Amino acid sequence: MFLWKFPCGYAKIVLVCARPERFINDALRCGVPLHNIRRVSKRELTALVRLNGADALYELAHECGAELRIIKTGGAAVLVSSLLSRGALLIGLFSAILLMALLSKRVLLISVDGANGASVRAVRALIEDELRLRTKRIAQLDRELIAARIAEADPSIALASIDFDGVIMRVHLIERTPEPEEDDALPSSIHADRDCVIIRIAAREGRAAVRAGDAVRRGELLISGDLTPEQGGEARFVHARGEIVGEVARRIAVRVEPVCIAPVKGEDRAEVCAIDVFGLRLTSASGFSDSSLELTESSALDAAFIPLRVSKGVAHRLVLGEKRLTHEQMLEEAEAELAAKLLAALPEDALIVSKSTELLWDEDGALLLTATVHTYEKIGFTRYL
Amino acid sequence: MKRSEKTIAKQNARRGRLARLGGEAMRAVRLPETTAGGFPRVTLLADLHAEIENHMGVLELAERIIRLKTAIGILRIEGERLDIRSAERESMLIDGKIVSVCFEIPQ
């Protein structure tokens, strides 16, 4: 019966007249159905009527000398008409949605990390002014080209990499570290200090022995300080200098046993009671230095807006023993240990390029978590000739 | 106005007579009387709803009593918290706790 209410729209009317019953009959005779008719007083009643029937009722009320008031309107028709009357609001809303849709294709925020304040500002200015990012769509941007331009523009930056995260452009920088004080007079060469794939090599003094993309082993020559011509001639040696960035792959494994030694509940126990007030728990002395509290009964004694709860329970003495871990606990422990190992293994200037983890459950229930991490790092150490 | 009321009263009386005649005719040809137009039909759902078809108008509307005019007399519905959930030209749905439904005996 009330299915008509929302789609057709309705009006709640108050009718005041000498004989409301007669008005109802007249309305029905005119073909205006009434709903939820309720007598408020002898001369007054309320009813629901369709929106299109309200005008006819007005005329009828006028003819009968009755007073008719609409106190509420609702339904889809009213909603649509009120929305249409707020045309400006609708236009504004659609414009905002359209603008957001257009802007979502472009870079709105630039996040730069891995460099000091001056470099960050310089990189930001370069990206905004010279590359004119705002005028281009994200799909049109060449990440490698932008990274190369950043590295070219600022000599203090050794390597730049760019990622897009929605409308945020994340720029990761690796700064050049000041060269250690070396005896510049002595001829030397630069060798690889770990196995890696060369990403970028720039020999400022000396001759590059490898190229970008080459895989090198630890100790392999990267920049040679021996500039003696191959055809023979006068021997010439220099102190080799340069910037070498390589991709290093690391594999870090963590094993967590299902059983560990941890404090567990012992045989000794004592009854205690606890009072909780304002989130603070006061417990009666159990007599144990380390104990685990297990509350069995609890009752609220809230009084004068003070949240007071008194509980009764048992305190167990904690002793060192074998504790069986759940899978979730093992995984949590393994992840924490792996994160700590990673932090210790990676150099400060390393930029993580990719990371994958592998989970393996042993037959004896132990968990083996292995992470493979690829990073961009500075490579090379000086060896005097 | 008085004239129109008289005309309506005459029409109602005629409809009542026709309904009775129709009912008798239906009975004579052994058809259900419900098929004859004009007879009020009252459908009760427990003591919660009463649906009245073929009514001829509301005579009295109050919280404890609703009186409707029909072709065969005045239908009196008594109860508590009575209200008209839906009123259309020929049918009416009454809500509330219905205690009794009866036709008033003409004085």
Side-chain angles (χ1 to χ4, degrees):
Chain A
M1 186 175 66
F2 293 101
L3 287 179
W4 62 270
K5 254 179 84 174
F6 189 76
C8 301
Y10 64 93
K12 188 171 185 180
I13 57 162
V14 174
L15 177 81
V16 184
C17 65
R19 291 289 309 274
E21 289 90 350
R22 183 174 287 177
F23 185 86
I24 293 172
N25 295 336
D26 289 345
L28 296 182
R29 212 168 286 132
C30 291
V32 181
L34 299 169
H35 302 269
N36 281 15
I37 306 168
R38 196 160 292 160
R39 191 75 176 255
V40 180
S41 66
K42 195 179 174 186
R43 288 168 52 84
E44 192 175 335
L45 60 81
T46 61
L48 289 182
V49 63
R50 287 185 192 194
L51 274 183
N52 51 13
D55 291 338
L57 282 190
Y58 256 125
E59 283 177 22
L60 195 63
H62 184 69
E63 282 174 19
C64 301
E67 183 191 338
L68 185 82
R69 291 195 312 271
I70 292 179
I71 54 169
K72 186 184 170 187
T73 54
V78 175
L79 193 68
V80 169
S81 63
S82 71
L83 281 177
L84 288 176
S85 67
R86 293 175 174 86
L89 185 72
L90 274 180
I91 290 168
L93 188 68
F94 282 121
S95 310
I97 291 169
L98 195 67
L99 192 67
M100 280 168 69
L102 288 174
L103 287 178
S104 67
K105 307 272 183 208
R106 286 169 168 74
V107 173
L108 294 184
L109 295 169
I110 299 166
S111 159
V112 184
D113 58 45
N116 62 28
S119 295
V120 168
R121 277 193 294 278
V123 167
R124 220 179 267 277
L126 174 83
I127 292 169
E128 288 190 353
D129 300 337
E130 292 192 21
L131 300 177
R132 296 208 173 94
L133 280 182
R134 314 272 187 203
T135 58
K136 292 178 185 172
R137 286 185 185 180
I138 291 173
Q140 293 172 333
L141 298 174
D142 187 346
R143 285 195 276 187
E144 288 177 5
L145 183 71
I146 297 168
R149 290 286 301 276
I150 291 168
E152 273 173 30
D154 193 344
S156 68
I157 294 166
L159 187 77
S161 75
I162 288 170
D163 288 322
F164 291 106
D165 185 4
V167 294
I168 305 171
M169 179 186 195
R170 297 192 189 279
V171 183
H172 307 281
L173 303 174
I174 298 179
E175 284 191 312
R176 284 180 211 283
T177 47
E179 300 218 349
E181 296 209 354
E182 292 172 348
D183 192 347
D184 292 357
L186 290 175
S188 65
S189 55
I190 298 173
H191 293 256
D193 56 353
R194 64 205 85 165
D195 298 351
C196 67
V197 176
I198 301 296
I199 299 298
R200 181 168 175 245
I201 180 163
R204 280 186 273 140
E205 274 189 56
R207 192 180 67 246
V210 291
R211 285 183 297 181
D214 287 353
V216 295
R217 308 287 295 178
R218 181 188 165 91
E220 201 172 313
L221 179 67
L222 301 177
I223 299 176
S224 171
D226 182 0
L227 297 179
T228 310
E230 284 181 9
Q231 297 81 9
E234 194 185 340
R236 189 177 157 231
F237 296 97
V238 292
H239 184 86
R241 290 174 209 278
E243 283 289 333
I244 306 135
V245 176
E247 185 180 335
V248 181
R250 283 186 180 80
R251 198 176 164 81
I252 296 166
V254 169
R255 185 185 166 86
V256 175
E257 296 297 331
V259 177
C260 71
I261 303 297
V264 292
K265 286 180 190 172
E267 295 293 321
D268 295 343
R269 45 190 281 172
E271 284 195 355
V272 290
C273 64
I275 298 171
D276 292 287
V277 57
F278 289 120
L280 184 73
R281 173 168 289 174
L282 305 169
T283 316
S284 64
S286 63
F288 307 136
S289 55
D290 287 327
S291 62
S292 159
L293 188 65
E294 194 179 302
L295 297 176
T296 50
E297 290 174 34
S298 183
S299 57
L301 296 174
D302 294 355
F305 305 108
I306 300 173
L308 188 70
R309 178 169 282 275
V310 178
S311 314
K312 197 174 154 190
V314 179
H316 298 268
R317 184 197 289 277
L318 290 178
V319 290
L320 283 179
E322 284 193 345
K323 186 182 177 186
R324 193 144 194 98
L325 298 174
T326 62
H327 281 192
E328 288 77 20
Q329 286 171 330
M330 288 171 74
L331 194 60
E332 205 174 307
E333 194 177 318
E335 280 173 351
E337 204 176 320
L338 190 69
K341 274 194 172 182
L342 261 177
L343 199 66
L346 296 181
E348 277 183 11
D349 63 343
L351 177 72
I352 295 175
V353 182
S354 68
K355 181 183 167 189
S356 62
T357 52
E358 195 182 329
L359 195 74
L360 194 71
W361 294 97
D362 242 357
E363 281 178 5
D364 56 353
L367 167 67
L368 193 68
L369 190 65
T370 313
T372 310
V373 185
H374 288 258
T375 54
Y376 284 177
E377 296 169 20
K378 284 185 186 172
I379 307 293
F381 68 94
T382 303
R383 185 182 283 170
Y384 293 100
L385 295 173
Chain B
M1 195 71 180
K2 278 184 179 176
R3 184 178 287 176
S4 67
E5 274 177 17
K6 275 183 184 173
T7 317
I8 290 166
K10 274 183 186 174
Q11 280 176 354
N12 286 345
R14 199 180 301 147
R15 281 170 72 182
R17 280 200 297 277
L18 282 173
R20 280 175 210 281
L21 275 174
E24 282 167 19
M26 288 295 126
R27 221 174 295 142
V29 291
R30 306 226 170 151
L31 280 173
E33 289 167 33
T34 51
T35 52
F39 274 133
R41 179 194 283 189
V42 182
T43 313
L44 279 173
L45 174 67
D47 61 349
L48 303 171
H49 303 291
E51 188 181 1
I52 298 102
E53 290 170 80
N54 292 334
H55 70 87
M56 293 162 79
V58 184
L59 291 177
E60 190 180 348
L61 169 64
E63 200 178 339
R64 288 175 172 272
I65 182 168
I66 293 176
R67 289 168 73 231
L68 302 177
K69 188 167 185 180
T70 67
I72 58 163
I74 294 168
L75 181 69
R76 183 188 183 94
I77 299 161
E78 287 182 35
E80 289 167 21
R81 299 184 303 279
L82 296 179
D83 62 14
I84 300 175
R85 179 53 56 93
S86 167
E88 289 180 21
R89 197 183 176 107
E90 302 217 322
S91 71
M92 192 168 282
L93 185 72
I94 292 168
D95 256 15
K97 185 171 169 53
I98 294 162
V99 176
S100 71
V101 179
C102 61
F103 283 98
E104 285 181 8
I105 301 162
Q107 298 296 320

